[in-house]
């Protein structure tokens, strides 16, 4: 067992020294994913302001008018039209005059007076098919819900806001989008770091010297995985903090659970990085191969296209993409507050994938040495 | 006594290309063995196979009695290797590289400290300990490579062109180190393109076109029939202007090879044309001479090419 991982700790220590020795690279490695998170995350900013809003007040009561006044006074909404029928509300949105329609039902005041919960229907334009567009729409809804709750929070009126998206009911929210983004960014960073580290050794000739030592292939592989795994883990913590603090995505589950369940994913992408490093002769090649892994993890993982809506063939393919499971874990914990037991299967699958990837990388490495 | 290194009928192919063909030899314990051959002749490939990094297509070999096919991992613990390409980490310091290689060979604590001290004293690297390797000169880099290659006190050391591209003083001091260690019983297998280095070796092997063309002590190689073809004599010609004479000489009948050697000319000439040549070179002294190692290899190379 010890022989299987021979040389692990010296490699691990050396790798940390390399990282410390080159603060510029370290800075960019850590900063780039954050920058990407900001850029892409801001495209789906949840802090929407002055959304063009159309109002359909069917209630025509002092209570409903008070509600509309509060809405108009808030910074989030800008009332562009008052309409008198549901059809007109729809067409205002369809025509692009308003992004949001608020419909106050005729029984609004009565239900409030009876002490029941009154519903306000919020309609949103879901026709914009671009991801950013969809996300913006959805986040509009979220923001709206938030502001409405705040708006009405102090009042004794129990009002329930029912956002509903027109034309594209399966659209996602920023809360939905950002966890997926985290998976993709993390994967990119990890694969690049570990693959480049090994390929650099190949390019510089230090690998040849190293292979003549008793270092075991798995010792070399795992010795490289640990330092970059630690870095990725630190980055994940920062990213999660940014998600929570800057993008105001609420985390419904336990952050610790999320961190623990992230380890199998990190293992998998580290393993993938190592496999790439055995295939690439130069750093440029490694870079291209790393980029190639991004495509399936963006399009097949449920990050953009819902797996439920995929053709069967792609739905099956998506099961082979590690990112699928991690996005499920992220969304599970962040959105649904899922616990360890709920996501254990996904984590186990990732763990198996990670061990397999590491083993395959070591095997490819040995095979390659025999021919080089 | 078992030899330190043996190769038996070793053939190594990369696809359809044969890099090493049917090579057999032995190197005794404590020997300093020089390995020569033109670029691409298969020297590095043989070393890799002997270290167990490459499995030979045919044949086998042993290191200290260990089978290179079956005990590759074991062999690596007992063998030192200095690759042809500089193989240390330039962004780490001298000390960090040494610590890393000590760790990789499983040497720990006081044992590692002591061994490092020993090597530093041997090579005089002490003052450079905190310096980044990238900032060292070629000679010091090679000295450090040697330290890292022998940090685990191996009994057999493979050095692949250890002196390529470094200045004569550094070259001499490296060779002094080899001799010193060799005196302690360490077996050295050194590849080189320098004849003067080859002449310092106890025994020399010459590989040409993937085949081992000759092997033996320098004196043995000089007596080799193939290096002294029948009916020819090797002569040294002392002439006032060697370079002018060389062109003239090369156009004469019965001259097989001629080359400048220092301030004189070394030539391989037909026995029966010797007198005629002597006459044409009136005034110059023409004396029979033992071939230099370079002469041997050049003649061998021509002979092999002629056979093809
Ligand atoms: N992995 C490989 N795949 C294919 N061909 C190879 C491989 N390794 C070496 N060769 C070929 O085998 C031949 C012998 O190479 P080798 O490196 O052993 O030569 P060498 O004697 O060390 O040369 P040099 O003096 O330039 O170092 C060369 O023609 C080389 O191109
Ligand atoms: Mg070579």
């Amino acid at each position: 067992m010890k022989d299987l991982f021979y040389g692990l700790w010296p490699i691990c220590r050396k790798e940390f020294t390399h990282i410390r020795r080159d603060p510029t690279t370290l800075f960019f490695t850590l900063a780039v994913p954050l920058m990407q998170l900001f850029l892409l995350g801001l495209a789906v900013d949840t802090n929407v302001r002055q959304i063009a809003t159309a109002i359909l007040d069917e209630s025509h009561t002092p209570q409903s008018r008070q509600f509309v006044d509060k809405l108009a006074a808030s910074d989030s909404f800008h009332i562009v039209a008052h309409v008198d029928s549901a059809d007109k509300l729809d067409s205002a949105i369809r025509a692009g005059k308003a992004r949001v329609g608020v419909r106050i039902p005729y029984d609004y005041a009565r239900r409030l007076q009876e002490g029941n919960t009154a519903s306000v229907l919020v309609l949103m334009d879901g026709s914009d098919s671009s991801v950013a567009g969809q996300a913006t729409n959805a986040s509009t809804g979220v923001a709206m819900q938030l502001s409405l709750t705040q708006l009405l929070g102090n009042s004794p009126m129990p009002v329930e806001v029912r956002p509903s998206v027109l034309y594209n009911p399966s659209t996602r929210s920023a809360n939905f989008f950002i966890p997926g983004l985290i998976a993709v960014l993390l994967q990119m960073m990890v694969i690049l770091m570990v693959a480049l580290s090994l390929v650099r050794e190949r390019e510089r000739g230090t690998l040849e010297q190293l292979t003549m030592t008793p270092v075991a292939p798995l010792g070399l592989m795992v010795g490289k995985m640990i330092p970059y795994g630690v870095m990725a883990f630190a980055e994940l913590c920062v990213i999660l903090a940014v998600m929570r603090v800057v993008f105001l995505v609420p985390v419904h589950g336990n952050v610790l659970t999320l961190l623990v369940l992230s380890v199998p994913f990190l293992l998998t992408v580290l393993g993938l990085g190592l496999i790439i490093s055995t295939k690439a002769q130069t750093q440029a090649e490694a870079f291209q191969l790393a980029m190639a892994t991004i495509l399936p993890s963006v399009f097949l993982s449920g990050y953009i296209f819902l797996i439920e809506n995929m053709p069967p063939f792609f739905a099956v393919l998506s099961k082979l993409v590690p990112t699928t499971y991690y996005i499920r874990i992220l969304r599970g914990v962040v959105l649904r507050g899922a616990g360890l037991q709920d996501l254990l299967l996904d984590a186990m699958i990732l763990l198996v994938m990670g061990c397999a990837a590491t083993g395959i990388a070591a095997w490819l490495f040995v095979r390659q040495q025999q021919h080089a | 006594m078992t030899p330190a290194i043996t190769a038996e009928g070793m053939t190594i192919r990369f696809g359809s290309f044969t890099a090493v063909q049917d090579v057999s030899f032995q190197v005794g314990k404590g020997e300093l063995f020089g390995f020569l051959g033109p670029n691409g002749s298969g020297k590095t490939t043989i070393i890799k196979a002997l270290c167990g990094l490459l499995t030979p297509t045919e044949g086998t070999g042993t290191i200290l009695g260990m089978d290179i096919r079956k005990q590759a991992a074991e062999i690596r613990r007992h063998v030192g290797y200095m690759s042809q390409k500089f193989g240390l980490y330039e962004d780490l310091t001298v000390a960090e590289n040494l610590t890393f290689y000590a760790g990789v060979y499983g040497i720990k604590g006081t044992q590692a400290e002591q061994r490092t001290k020993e090597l530093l004293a041997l090579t005089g690297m002490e003052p450079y300990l905190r310096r980044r390797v990238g900032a060292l000169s070629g000679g010091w880099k090679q000295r450090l490579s040697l330290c890292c290659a022998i940090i685990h006190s191996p009994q057999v050391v493979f050095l692949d062109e250890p002196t390529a591209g470094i200045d004569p003083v550094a070259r001499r001091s490296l060779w002094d180190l080899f001799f010193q260690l060799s005196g302690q019983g360490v077996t050295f297998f050194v590849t080189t393109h320098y004849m003067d280095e080859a002449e310092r070796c106890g025994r020399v092997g010459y590989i040409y076109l993937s085949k081992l063309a000759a092997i033996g002590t320098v004196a043995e190689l000089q007596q080799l029939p193939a290096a002294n073809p029948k009916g020819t004599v090797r002569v040294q010609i002392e002439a006032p202007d060697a370079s002018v004479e060389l062109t003239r000489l090369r156009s004469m009948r019965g001259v097989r090879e001629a080359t400048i050697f220092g301030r004189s000319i070394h030539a391989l000439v037909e026995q029966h044309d010797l007198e005629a040549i002597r006459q044409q070179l009136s005034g110059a002294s023409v004396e029979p001479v033992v071939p230099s190692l370079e002469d041997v290899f050049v003649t061998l190379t021509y002979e092999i090419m002629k056979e093809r």
Side-chain angles (χ1 to χ4, degrees):
Chain A
M1 193 61 189
K2 198 162 164 276
D3 280 1
L4 204 58
F5 293 98
Y6 194 91
L8 192 156
W9 293 116
I11 300 265
C12 188
R13 263 184 57 184
K14 171 197 76 103
E15 218 60 39
F16 272 120
T17 319
H18 284 312
I19 295 170
R20 259 192 303 134
R21 205 45 50 86
D22 191 357
T24 328
T25 306
L26 177 63
F27 172 77
F28 280 109
T29 312
L30 295 177
V32 164
L34 277 176
M35 266 155 48
Q36 285 170 325
L37 177 66
F38 273 105
L39 283 177
L40 294 167
L42 285 175
V44 291
D45 191 0
T46 52
N47 301 320
V48 280
R49 302 173 60 210
Q50 298 290 325
I51 313 160
T53 308
I55 303 281
L56 168 58
D57 184 357
E58 292 175 325
S59 178
H60 294 296
T61 52
Q63 284 90 339
S64 70
R65 267 191 291 278
Q66 186 197 0
F67 175 81
V68 173
D69 286 346
K70 280 194 171 175
L71 210 60
S74 86
D75 191 33
S76 301
F77 307 97
H78 172 59
I79 292 166
V80 290
H82 286 271
V83 294
D84 51 17
S85 75
D87 281 351
K88 285 187 180 154
L89 191 63
D90 275 9
S91 63
I93 294 174
R94 198 178 302 125
K97 260 169 72 186
R99 278 188 86 78
V100 174
V102 176
R103 180 175 174 183
I104 304 164
Y106 65 93
D107 60 352
Y108 178 77
R110 202 189 64 214
R111 290 182 70 94
L112 279 181
Q113 274 155 4
E114 287 170 0
N116 288 330
T117 306
S119 299
V120 173
L121 188 65
V122 177
L123 300 170
M124 274 169 291
D125 175 10
S127 63
D128 186 347
S129 65
S130 80
V131 179
Q134 281 189 24
T136 312
N137 289 327
S139 55
T140 308
V142 175
M144 180 151 211
Q145 204 168 1
L146 272 172
S147 6
L148 285 179
T149 326
Q150 268 166 10
L151 222 60
L152 305 168
N154 308 333
S155 79
M157 298 185 289
V159 174
E160 179 193 22
V161 179
R162 287 222 181 114
S164 127
V165 176
L166 289 179
Y167 317 122
N168 187 358
S170 72
T171 193
R172 64 214 62 226
S173 73
N175 299 9
F176 202 62
F177 178 75
I178 288 185
L181 181 61
I182 289 178
V184 174
L185 291 180
L186 207 59
Q187 167 175 353
M188 189 69 203
M189 168 185 163
V190 170
I191 289 186
L192 264 183
M193 271 194 308
V194 69
L196 288 184
S197 132
L198 233 161
V199 172
R200 210 178 299 131
E201 290 221 28
R202 191 194 312 289
E203 268 185 356
R204 298 194 182 154
T206 54
L207 193 62
E208 185 180 325
Q209 185 71 52
L210 203 55
T211 49
M212 286 294 194
T213 68
V215 169
L218 273 175
L220 175 63
M221 299 288 143
V222 181
K224 291 239 168 212
M225 285 166 111
I226 292 172
Y228 296 108
V230 168
M231 272 176 69
F233 198 79
E235 180 82 352
L236 174 65
C237 294
V238 176
I239 286 182
L240 286 177
V242 170
M243 173 184 90
R244 180 72 195 81
V245 175
V246 179
F247 295 104
L248 302 173
V249 176
V251 181
H252 292 290
N254 188 335
V255 178
L256 210 61
T257 308
L258 182 55
L259 290 178
V260 169
L261 293 179
S262 299
V263 175
F265 176 68
L266 291 181
L267 179 72
T268 311
V269 281
L270 285 165
L272 275 179
L274 289 173
I275 291 181
I276 286 179
S277 74
T278 64
K279 291 285 160 207
Q281 292 303 316
T282 62
Q283 294 191 52
E285 263 176 59
F287 198 82
Q288 282 173 353
L289 285 173
M291 286 301 175
T293 68
I294 293 304
L295 275 175
S297 54
V298 165
F299 292 109
L300 293 177
S301 64
Y303 167 51
I304 288 183
F305 303 120
L306 288 184
I307 293 170
E308 297 88 80
N309 299 346
M310 282 180 194
F313 173 71
F314 290 105
V316 169
L317 270 190
S318 78
K319 294 206 186 317
L320 300 176
V321 179
T323 329
T324 305
Y325 301 97
Y326 190 49
I327 288 185
R328 217 142 65 190
I329 289 174
L330 277 164
R331 283 181 185 155
V333 176
V334 173
L335 302 180
R336 287 187 279 115
L340 211 56
Q341 315 90 289
D342 308 310
L343 301 167
L344 206 58
L345 182 66
D346 296 294
M348 286 319 253
I349 292 174
L350 282 176
L351 194 64
V352 171
M353 281 182 164
C355 292
T358 312
I360 290 171
W363 176 74
L364 285 173
F365 183 75
V366 173
R367 218 186 52 156
Q368 187 190 44
Q369 290 310 313
Q370 286 293 313
H371 295 281
Chain B
M1 201 167 95
T2 52
I5 305 168
T6 67
E8 289 154 34
M10 204 147 81
T11 297
I12 300 165
R13 292 194 193 95
F14 297 112
S16 61
F17 175 75
T18 306
V20 176
Q21 195 175 351
D22 195 22
V23 168
S24 303
F25 63 88
Q26 295 198 343
V27 178
K29 278 189 181 147
E31 224 184 290
L32 207 165
F33 184 75
F35 206 47
L36 284 91
N39 291 133
S41 53
K43 301 183 296 295
T44 302
T45 308
I46 288 180
I47 293 183
K48 285 188 175 173
L50 286 173
C51 292
L53 200 62
L54 257 171
T55 314
T57 320
E58 283 160 38
T60 185
T62 62
I63 302 285
L64 300 168
M66 292 176 281
D67 190 329
I68 59 165
R69 282 175 177 276
K70 293 175 196 141
Q71 289 164 281
E74 191 62 21
I75 285 174
R76 266 174 237 170
R77 285 171 213 262
H78 293 94
V79 157
Y81 170 77
M82 194 168 142
S83 76
Q84 182 171 0
K85 202 171 159 191
F86 182 69
L88 300 182
Y89 301 96
E90 308 224 351
D91 55 331
L92 303 190
T93 64
V94 170
E96 283 163 346
N97 270 287
L98 283 167
T99 311
F100 172 65
Y101 271 95
V104 152
Y105 280 107
I107 307 164
K108 295 189 189 88
T110 47
Q111 201 193 346
E113 247 170 65
Q114 193 162 353
R115 179 64 181 160
T116 309
K117 249 191 214 141
E118 217 174 283
L119 289 174
L120 289 175
L122 184 75
T123 52
M125 292 237 39
E126 193 95 52
Y128 301 99
L129 219 45
R130 306 263 147 247
R131 191 170 304 181
R132 293 213 187 156
V133 172
L136 291 179
S137 71
W140 286 108
K141 277 185 184 170
Q142 291 308 82
R143 257 173 273 200
L144 178 61
S145 283
L146 181 68
C147 288
C148 289
I150 62 172
I151 195 146
H152 55 307
S153 319
Q155 284 309 295
V156 177
V157 179
F158 291 93
L159 306 173
D160 202 355
E161 297 188 29
T163 56
I166 67 174
D167 69 69
V169 179
R171 214 145 69 81
R172 163 104 25 122
S173 77
L174 259 174
W175 272 88
D176 288 345
L177 281 175
F178 303 160
F179 282 120
Q180 211 172 329
L181 291 163
S182 166
Q184 295 167 14
V186 179
T187 310
F188 276 88
F189 186 105
V190 187
T191 74
T192 178
H193 289 296
Y194 297 110
M195 290 302 148
D196 60 316
E197 292 184 353
E199 276 168 358
R200 291 161 152 237
C201 294
R203 273 167 76 237
V204 178
Y206 180 67
I207 182 167
Y208 182 70
L209 290 174
S210 321
K211 284 189 203 154
L212 190 63
I215 184 168
T217 62
V218 174
E220 280 165 5
L221 292 180
Q222 285 168 333
Q223 302 306 319
L224 226 51
N228 304 286
K230 254 206 173 76
T232 65
V233 273
R234 197 171 296 271
V235 289
Q236 177 164 328
I237 300 158
E238 303 280 359
D241 196 343
S243 52
V244 176
E245 293 295 345
L246 181 69
T247 355
R248 231 158 61 82
L249 189 67
R250 278 186 172 157
S251 63
M252 289 177 195
R253 233 177 69 116
V255 177
R256 285 208 192 177
E257 297 163 19
T259 186
I260 299 276
F261 202 89
R263 311 183 98 196
S264 55
I265 299 171
H266 271 202
L268 185 66
V269 300
E270 304 291 345
Q271 187 99 54
H272 50 82
D273 289 326
L274 182 60
E275 275 318 302
I277 290 167
R278 203 191 286 273
Q279 240 132 67
Q280 290 177 67
L281 290 168
S282 54
S285 88
V286 179
E287 296 300 329
V289 71
V290 192
S292 70
L293 208 48
E294 187 176 304
D295 293 332
V296 174
F297 293 144
V298 169
T299 310
L300 269 175
T301 307
Y302 282 143
E303 292 296 310
I304 294 169
M305 284 199 303
K306 249 197 314 198
E307 279 169 30
R308 300 209 148 215

